[in-house]
Amino acid sequence: MEGNQDSSSHLRLQSAASLKASMLKNSTKSNLNIYDHLTRLLIKMIDEQPQNAVDVVEDMSLDIKRSLFEDKETTLRDLPETTASELLAEQQRLLFSQPEEAEQEDEQVETPLPNVSEIGFYLEQAGVGLGREEMQRVFLALKQLVESQALLRCRLWGKILGTESSYIVAEAECREWEEEEEQITDEAAEEEEREDKTSESEDNEVDPLPQSTYKTPPVVPKEAAGTGANKFFYYVCKEPGLPWVKLPSVSPAQITVARQIRKFFTGRLDSPVHSYPPFPGNEANYLRAQIARVSAGTQVSPQGFFHAGEEEGDEEDEAPQDSYEVNSDFEAIPVAEMAESLSTWVHHVQHILPQGRCTWVNLAIEPVEDSNEDGESEEKEEEPDEPEPEVGPPLLTPLSQDGEIFNTPPWSSKMSSTLTYQHAVAVLCSNSWPGAYVYACGKKFENMYVGWGLKYAGEGYSPSVPQPPQREYPSEPEITEALDPSLEEEQALREALEEQQAAQEELEDADEDEDEYAD
Amino acid sequence: MDSNLLGYSLELVAGSGCTLNVEKRTALETSLVILKKNYKFQRVLFWGKILGLKEDYFVAQGRGEDEMEDKKNLYSFNCIDWFLLPPATDALIDLVSRVTKGRFIGDPSHVYEQLEIHRQGEGEGAVEEEVVTTVNEENRLAVTVHLIDEDVSVVPRGAFIKNRRGLVQMNRSFGGLSHSEVAKLDSFLHFSKPKNLKKKSILEMGELNPALDFLDVLSDDIPKGSWSLQFECGSKVCVLRSLLWLGLTFYHVPMTPLHGYVYIGDGNKNLDLPFML
C-alpha cells in the first residue's frame, strides 16, 4: 500500500514538476514565462487588493506585461514640439502685465473701457456668454485695445463664429477719421486712371471696337465715417491677446450684396468671398457688412434710455436723424414689464434702407456733396422720372413695430429666472438674427451677438439666378456670310478689272504727254 | 454631456455663445439624479436645448447598458419635471418631415397641420379629396432629437468599445486622443448606426480595429467641410461644430477622457449648407 502511495505521490510530484518546468519555459516572442507572470499578478493583487478582482484580472495582467516592456536606449532625442496652446499662452501672458502705478492715479476721468465682467455676469443670467474665463481674457484684450488706440468709447460687440476660427468684435468710436478718407480718395483715383487708359487705347486703334452700350449703374456713395452704417469702427481679433485688426468702412454695394448671399465666415480676414452675385471685397468687407446689418437689426435699448438729439430738431421731416443722447431722467422700467411687452424697447441704431445706406441719397441728380466717388460723370444725363425716396422707420422706433419674417415673430422675450423673479433680468433674443441677445436690468442694458453672422432664412435659401445671357449681335450684311462666286462670275469680274486698268493706263499716257508739252 | 460634469463641460462649449445660468445648472444637477434613479438609467446626459419662440425645451438623455441602443430622451421646460419623449419610428419621421416647418413654438401640444390634396381618377371625373395631416410638437421634438443624434452625435475614436456580446460600452481605459490625433477629423466617429462602414474596401478595413472602429468616421461626411474644428479656451480644448445642424458643439480635452456634445439651437437642419461653404 505504502509503496503504491509513494509511487502515486511521486508521480504527482513529477507531473507537477514537469508542469512547472513547462510553465517556466520562456516565450519565444516576449522572453517571459507564465510562472513568473502569475507570481507577479498575484503579488500585485495582494498589494493592491482591487474590488471585483476577477473582473479586472485581464487588465491587470496586461498592465504587468506593459510595465515589463524594456525601452531600448536610443541616441535619438525627442525634438520638443511647440504646440499652439504654448504659443497662445505666450501671447496672452502680455495681457496680464501689471500697469505702471503712475497711470492708476489719474484714472479719475471716465474710462472708455466697459465693465465686461459685470456684463458677463448679467449675460450669464440670460444664458449667453463665452465662458467666464474667456470673458475675462476678452476684458483684458479690450483694455489693451483701449490703451493702444485713442478711443472715445468702446464696447464688446460680440463674437462671430467662423469655420476655421472665430472673430471677437469690439465696437469703437474714434477721434480721427482722416486715415479712412485718404483710402477712399486713393481708390477713386485708381479707378479714374483705369478709365483713362481704356479710352486712350481706343483712340490709337484704326478700326475702333464697337462701343458697349452697357452703362454701369451709378454707384451709391459710401456714408462718411461717423454717420449711418459707418457710425462706429470695428476691431476684430481671433483670440484675446492676438492683435486687434481694424475693419474697413462699409459701402452700400457691400450691404446690398451681403443681403443676397449666405456664406459662412472662414476666420481669415483676407480670404476671398466666393458667391453669386459677386461680393465686392474680401472677407473683412463681408464681416463689416454683416456687422452693420446685425447692428441695425438688433441693437435695442429700453424705451426712454436715449432721447432724440436736440440740435437737429428742425430737419426732422427731411432726413431721419441719427443722433441721440442719454436721457438723464431715465427711470428704470420694471423687469416684468420689459419681459412682457416689446413696446418698452426701442431700436437705437438706424435702419439700413434697401439702397444700402441709412440716409437716402438721390442718384438721379448729381450729388452736391463731394463724396469722392467715381461714376458721377455718367449721371449727367438727367433722368426724367424722379425716383421715390426710400424711407425707413425713424430712430428709436419701438420693437413692437418690427415686421414678422417667415411667419416668425422677430423677438422672443423672457425673464432670466422664474424662481427668483424679484431679481431677474429681462432678456430679449432676436429670431431674425439668431444669436443676438439683449438684457435689461434697472438702468443697465447691453446688446451682445454671438453667432454665425447669418440672418434667419426661413425654410430655405434660394440663391439669386444669374442674369439672362446677352443677346446676340444683330445680324447685318457686314457680318453675314455670302455665297462663294462661281467661275463665270470670277471671270467676268476679272475682265471688268482688266478693262478698267487698260482705260487707266491710257489716261496716264495722255497725262504724260501733256506734261511734256508743258515743259 | 455627462450630467456629473455639467458645469465644467458647459464652460468648455461656451465659445458657441450659449450657456445655462446658475439656476438651470443647479436645477439640472438635482433633477437628473432623481431621473437616473426613477428610470433606472446607467448614465444620464444633458443632451441640450431646443429654442422655441415662447419656451425652450431642455432635453436629457438616459443611457442603459448598451450606450447606443438603450437610449431614452426626455424633455422639460423648467429643468425639474421631465417628460418621456415617444420613440421616433420611421413612420413618425416621415410624417414630421412632411408636415412641420419653421421654428419650434414651445408648446408640446401645438398641432402642425398640412393640407394635402389627393386626386383620384382622371380627366373630368377626378375627385379631389382634401386630407389634413396633423402632428403635434412633442412628436416633432422626438424626431428632431433622434435625427440630430443620428446625423451629428460625435465621440472620439476609442471612447467606446463593442464588447464580445455586441454591446457598445464606454471604454474605461480610454485616455484621450493625443494632440496630433485631435487635429484630424479621422479621429472622431459618429455615435450612430454605421452607414458607410460596409462600403469600405478591404484595404481600408485592414487597418481598423473591430472593437473600436465599428462606427463611421466624420471625415467621410458629405459635403466635405460640414464640420468646423477649432481649439478654444486658450487652445486647451478641441471643439467641433456641426455646420449641418447649427448649434451642435462637441468638445474633447486632449489626453483626458473628457468628451461630450451638446445641442443648443433652433432644431432646424441647415439645408443651405452647400451654398454657404
Side-chain angles (χ1 to χ4, degrees):
Chain A
M1 288 295 277
E2 275 183 19
N4 233 347
Q5 266 183 350
D6 273 356
S7 66
S8 73
S9 68
H10 182 71
L11 263 175
R12 223 178 286 151
L13 276 176
Q14 211 170 17
S15 66
S18 71
L19 182 69
K20 189 179 174 185
S22 77
M23 283 171 83
L24 274 167
K25 209 152 121 194
N26 278 7
S27 145
T28 48
K29 271 188 202 161
S30 54
N31 205 27
L32 297 174
N33 64 56
I34 183 78
Y35 188 86
D36 289 344
H37 182 71
L38 286 176
T39 319
R40 285 196 200 98
L41 185 65
L42 284 172
I43 290 170
K44 189 177 165 75
M45 239 168 236
I46 292 161
D47 285 350
E48 295 182 6
Q49 306 237 342
Q51 282 191 329
N52 301 337
V54 66
D55 294 335
V56 293
V57 67
E58 292 93 346
D59 288 342
M60 293 181 80
S61 135
L62 209 64
D63 254 6
I64 292 168
K65 280 191 184 168
R66 225 179 268 154
S67 64
L68 285 177
F69 174 72
E70 274 175 45
D71 193 8
K72 298 223 172 67
E73 272 289 311
T74 163
T75 48
L76 295 175
R77 289 277 170 267
D78 280 346
L79 194 66
E81 203 182 344
T82 46
T83 58
S85 57
E86 285 165 15
L87 289 174
L88 188 68
E90 283 291 327
Q91 294 262 7
Q92 289 186 336
R93 210 179 73 88
L94 301 176
L95 292 177
F96 296 91
S97 51
Q98 287 292 327
E100 287 160 32
E101 281 182 28
E103 277 180 39
Q104 278 179 326
E105 282 167 23
D106 52 51
E107 282 275 308
Q108 299 300 323
V109 273
E110 204 180 329
T111 166
L113 186 67
N115 188 350
V116 178
S117 43
E118 189 192 8
I119 294 168
F121 167 75
Y122 281 118
L123 282 173
E124 200 194 285
Q125 306 261 302
V128 193
L130 305 175
R132 280 184 204 164
E133 290 155 35
E134 192 70 2
M135 213 61 170
Q136 186 61 34
R137 288 199 196 101
V138 171
F139 192 6
L140 294 172
L142 273 184
K143 174 168 162 266
Q144 198 186 38
L145 175 70
V146 168
E147 279 167 4
S148 62
Q149 313 273 344
L151 303 179
L152 277 180
R153 219 172 59 85
C154 180
R155 198 175 78 81
L156 177 62
W157 185 87
K159 178 178 178 183
I160 288 194
L161 304 173
T163 54
E164 285 167 37
S165 64
S166 316
Y167 297 112
I168 290 162
V169 185
E171 184 181 81
E173 218 170 322
C174 277
R175 287 201 188 93
E176 288 151 35
W177 315 107
E178 294 145 27
E179 217 183 299
E180 197 69 21
E181 276 158 23
E182 269 172 38
Q183 268 188 350
I184 297 172
T185 46
D186 282 352
E187 274 171 36
E190 229 171 77
E191 272 177 46
E192 270 168 36
E193 261 177 47
R194 225 176 290 149
E195 272 175 30
D196 288 347
K197 269 186 199 169
T198 51
S199 61
E200 270 170 39
S201 60
E202 276 161 20
D203 290 341
N204 295 340
E205 275 176 57
V206 188
D207 188 14
L209 289 169
Q211 284 288 326
S212 168
T213 52
Y214 176 73
K215 256 181 260 158
T216 47
V219 179
V220 184
K222 210 185 239 189
E223 280 172 304
T227 60
N230 284 327
K231 187 165 183 188
F232 299 108
F233 278 132
Y234 292 91
Y235 291 87
V236 295
C237 70
K238 286 186 180 176
E239 287 273 351
L242 299 186
W244 290 91
V245 182
K246 189 177 180 181
L247 291 180
S249 59
V250 67
S251 78
Q254 285 160 357
I255 289 183
T256 39
V257 176
R259 281 177 171 151
Q260 296 170 49
I261 64 175
R262 214 167 147 71
K263 289 286 281 183
F264 278 122
F265 290 94
T266 59
R268 282 172 284 120
L269 280 176
D270 52 351
S271 65
V273 181
H274 299 293
S275 68
Y276 185 81
F279 184 80
N282 56 15
E283 190 165 298
N285 299 103
Y286 179 45
L287 179 63
R288 181 64 187 79
Q290 290 299 76
I291 289 174
R293 293 178 63 206
V294 174
S295 303
T298 64
Q299 301 260 304
V300 297
S301 54
Q303 182 163 39
F305 189 86
F306 294 116
H307 65 105
E310 277 160 28
E311 31 186 338
E312 283 179 286
D314 306 330
E315 292 172 43
E316 247 177 72
D317 344 62
E318 288 175 24
Q321 57 191 39
D322 63 343
S323 70
Y324 50 79
E325 288 164 0
V326 177
N327 185 358
S328 47
D329 311 328
F330 172 65
E331 283 187 22
I333 307 171
V335 166
E337 200 181 317
M338 296 216 67
E340 215 161 79
S341 98
L342 286 179
S343 52
T344 51
W345 298 85
V346 294
H347 285 279
H348 65 257
V349 172
Q350 274 183 299
H351 177 78
I352 302 179
L353 300 169
Q355 197 182 34
R357 286 172 56 104
C358 294
T359 47
W360 190 74
V361 68
N362 192 350
L363 291 173
I365 54 167
E366 193 158 331
V368 188
E369 63 199 47
D370 50 347
S371 49
N372 294 321
E373 287 286 329
D374 59 320
E376 284 164 29
S377 54
E378 286 165 77
E379 287 166 37
K380 277 176 188 162
E381 313 151 39
E382 282 165 30
E383 281 182 38
D385 48 333
E386 182 85 354
E388 189 90 351
E390 295 164 359
V391 184
L395 208 59
L396 306 181
T397 309
L399 297 192
S400 46
Q401 291 180 22
D402 284 6
E404 287 196 348
I405 59 163
F406 305 106
N407 300 322
T408 308
W411 296 90
S412 290
S413 57
K414 64 175 183 195
M415 303 262 280
S416 68
S417 163
T418 45
L419 297 174
T420 51
Y421 58 89
Q422 296 90 340
H423 299 287
V425 298
V427 184
L428 268 194
C429 53
S430 170
N431 293 327
S432 51
W433 288 98
Y437 293 89
V438 52
Y439 73 82
C441 170
K443 289 191 180 184
K444 288 176 180 141
F445 77 95
E446 189 62 51
N447 291 277
M448 173 73 110
Y449 181 85
V450 188
W452 294 93
L454 298 166
K455 194 167 180 165
Y456 178 56
E459 262 178 74
Y461 160 76
S462 49
S464 49
V465 186
Q467 285 176 352
Q470 267 193 328
R471 271 191 300 132
E472 295 248 351
Y473 192 80
S475 138
E476 284 166 14
E478 53 180 286
I479 61 157
T480 41
E481 213 170 319
L483 282 176
D484 275 351
S486 64
L487 187 64
E488 289 83 38
E489 280 171 335
E490 270 181 12
Q491 276 171 346
L493 186 71
R494 194 193 290 162
E495 275 166 30
L497 280 173
E498 275 171 6
E499 264 174 43
Q500 213 178 344
Q501 224 172 350
Q504 217 162 14
E505 272 169 26
E506 270 174 39
L507 220 109
E508 271 171 29
D509 287 345
D511 280 353
E512 272 171 33
D513 292 344
E514 274 171 38
D515 287 346
E516 274 166 32
Y517 290 126
D519 289 330
Chain B
M1 52 180 65
D2 205 300
S3 55
N4 298 329
L5 289 165
L6 193 66
Y8 182 59
S9 308
L10 278 171
E11 202 72 355
L12 295 178
V13 296
S16 305
C18 290
T19 53
L20 298 181
N21 61 21
V22 182
E23 185 188 304
K24 292 279 185 297
R25 281 183 205 188
T26 38
L28 281 174
E29 274 169 14
T30 310
S31 67
L32 291 182
V33 172
I34 300 169
L35 189 77
K36 185 175 161 189
K37 189 196 91 187
N38 288 351
Y39 284 88
K40 300 191 174 61
F41 291 134
Q42 301 259 329
R43 196 158 87 94
V44 182
L45 308 180
F46 174 63
W47 185 89
K49 185 161 93 162
I50 289 194
L51 308 173
L53 294 175
K54 293 193 186 118
E55 293 269 1
D56 299 337
Y57 294 98
F58 292 87
V59 181
Q61 189 170 67
R63 300 237 172 123
E65 198 185 2
D66 186 320
E67 292 266 348
M68 202 145 83
E69 298 292 329
D70 307 343
K71 279 187 204 170
K72 277 195 181 114
N73 297 322
L74 301 103
Y75 73 94
S76 162
F77 290 110
N78 56 6
C79 296
I80 294 291
D81 306 315
W82 293 90
F83 309 100
L84 195 65
L85 281 172
T89 56
D90 286 345
L92 194 62
I93 293 172
D94 180 54
L95 183 70
V96 167
S97 65
R98 272 191 293 121
V99 176
T100 59
K101 59 185 178 188
R103 292 278 305 265
F104 278 79
I105 306 295
D107 171 16
S109 55
H110 175 85
V111 176
Y112 294 89
E113 287 183 359
Q114 168 89 5
L115 199 74
E116 277 176 44
I117 297 173
H118 289 269
R119 240 174 234 189
Q120 289 184 337
E122 275 179 34
E124 289 176 16
V127 184
E128 284 192 2
E129 198 184 349
E130 286 184 357
V131 179
V132 182
T133 35
T134 56
V135 69
N136 68 4
E137 194 160 89
E138 191 178 41
N139 284 329
R140 184 187 178 192
L141 183 69
V143 168
T144 307
V145 171
H146 174 76
L147 285 181
I148 292 176
D149 261 348
E150 278 284 294
D151 286 351
V152 287
S153 57
V154 184
V155 291
R157 181 176 176 272
F160 286 87
I161 48 170
K162 198 170 201 169
N163 70 9
R164 239 171 289 161
R165 289 190 302 160
L167 296 181
V168 177
Q169 286 181 329
M170 276 173 80
N171 183 358
R172 270 191 293 167
S173 57
F174 175 62
L177 299 174
S178 71
H179 285 282
S180 56
E181 278 174 325
V182 92
K184 284 184 249 156
L185 273 186
D186 315 43
S187 332
F188 300 98
L189 308 170
H190 281 286
F191 197 61
S192 56
K193 283 232 169 91
K195 298 178 194 100
N196 297 333
L197 204 60
K198 282 185 186 152
K199 294 177 198 158
K200 291 210 168 195
S201 67
I202 293 176
L203 198 64
E204 287 167 307
M205 292 285 272
E207 294 183 350
L208 304 182
N209 175 351
L212 302 180
D213 300 294
F214 57 97
L215 300 169
D216 278 340
V217 186
L218 286 199
S219 53
D220 290 344
D221 278 12
I222 297 170
K224 291 255 178 275
S226 53
W227 292 94
S228 149
L229 194 154
Q230 291 177 27
F231 291 88
E232 293 194 347
C233 299
S235 284
K236 76 170 181 207
V237 55
C238 165
V239 173
L240 267 173
R241 294 198 180 88
S242 171
L243 305 181
L244 187 66
W245 288 92
L246 290 181
L248 186 115
T249 315
F250 164 86
Y251 66 92
H252 174 52
V253 185
M255 308 306 283
T256 69
L258 211 60
H259 70 90
Y261 65 92
V262 70
Y263 178 83
I264 301 181
D266 63 5
N268 284 321
K269 196 174 184 168
N270 181 15
L271 298 172
D272 309 335
L273 180 63
F275 299 113
M276 296 166 74
L277 294 171

